[in-house]
């Protein structure tokens, strides 16, 4: 049996990080998990074409899922930093780079690394 390839390790890590953020916001329903899986399939092809982009996969999967959720359900994840008067979603930065994290552009702060959103949300729902 072959060990897991670096590509598969990268994809599994990206999947796990995004699922952790979704679970922290209690939005990891079956159809949402399917969105993650769809993104992972697309990003597998993308990284096969551009192996140097492997470090960017977690952020790209997070953005893909965020876009899919916006189309179907609304903004996710909502910013825990700003008050409830003007709900807005966090963004992933860098848009194409390693070490992706969720940021609030209104407050100008890094909220959490992708995969660690639960600690920033205080363990409560984010959507």
């Amino acid at each position: 049996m072959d060990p897991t390839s670096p590509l598969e390790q990268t994809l599994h890590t990206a999947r796990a990080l995004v699922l952790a953020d979704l679970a922290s916001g209690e939005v990891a329903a079956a159809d949402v998990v399917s969105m993650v899986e769809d993104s992972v399939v697309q990003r597998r092809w993308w990284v096969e074409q551009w192996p140097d982009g492997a470090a960017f996969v977690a952020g790209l999967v997070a953005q893909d899922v965020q876009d899919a959720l916006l189309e179907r359900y609304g903004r996710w994840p909502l910013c825990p930093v700003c008050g409830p008067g003007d709900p807005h979603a966090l963004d992933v930065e860098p848009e194409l780079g390693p070490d992706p994290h969720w940021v609030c552009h209104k407050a100008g702060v890094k909220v959490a690394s992708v995969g660690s959103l639960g600690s920033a949300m205080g363990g409560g729902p984010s959507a």
Side-chain angles (χ1 to χ4, degrees):
M1 196 172 197
D2 292 331
T4 304
S5 72
L7 169 61
E8 289 303 314
Q9 289 175 356
T10 297
L11 294 168
H12 287 302
T13 298
R15 177 188 292 114
L17 292 172
V18 174
L19 287 173
D21 285 346
L22 289 164
S24 73
E26 299 177 3
V27 293
D31 63 329
V32 177
V33 172
S34 292
M35 292 176 190
V36 175
E37 295 304 322
D38 290 345
S39 175
V40 168
V41 167
Q42 293 171 8
R43 295 306 172 177
R44 176 179 284 112
W45 178 88
W46 183 84
V47 147
E48 287 171 346
Q49 305 309 306
W50 188 44
D52 291 341
F56 311 154
V57 171
L60 291 170
V61 171
Q63 290 175 38
D64 292 345
V65 172
Q66 186 179 40
D67 291 346
L69 281 168
L70 179 61
E71 289 178 19
R72 197 175 286 174
Y73 297 109
R75 294 174 288 205
W76 175 86
L78 293 180
C79 179
V81 176
C82 299
D86 182 22
H88 55 277
L90 299 174
D91 294 312
V92 175
E93 283 194 356
E95 287 188 23
L96 186 62
D99 186 30
H101 47 275
W102 296 105
V103 298
C104 171
H105 284 289
K106 287 191 177 200
V109 297
K110 175 181 173 180
V111 176
S113 295
V114 169
S116 299
L117 197 53
S119 61
M121 298 293 186
S126 63

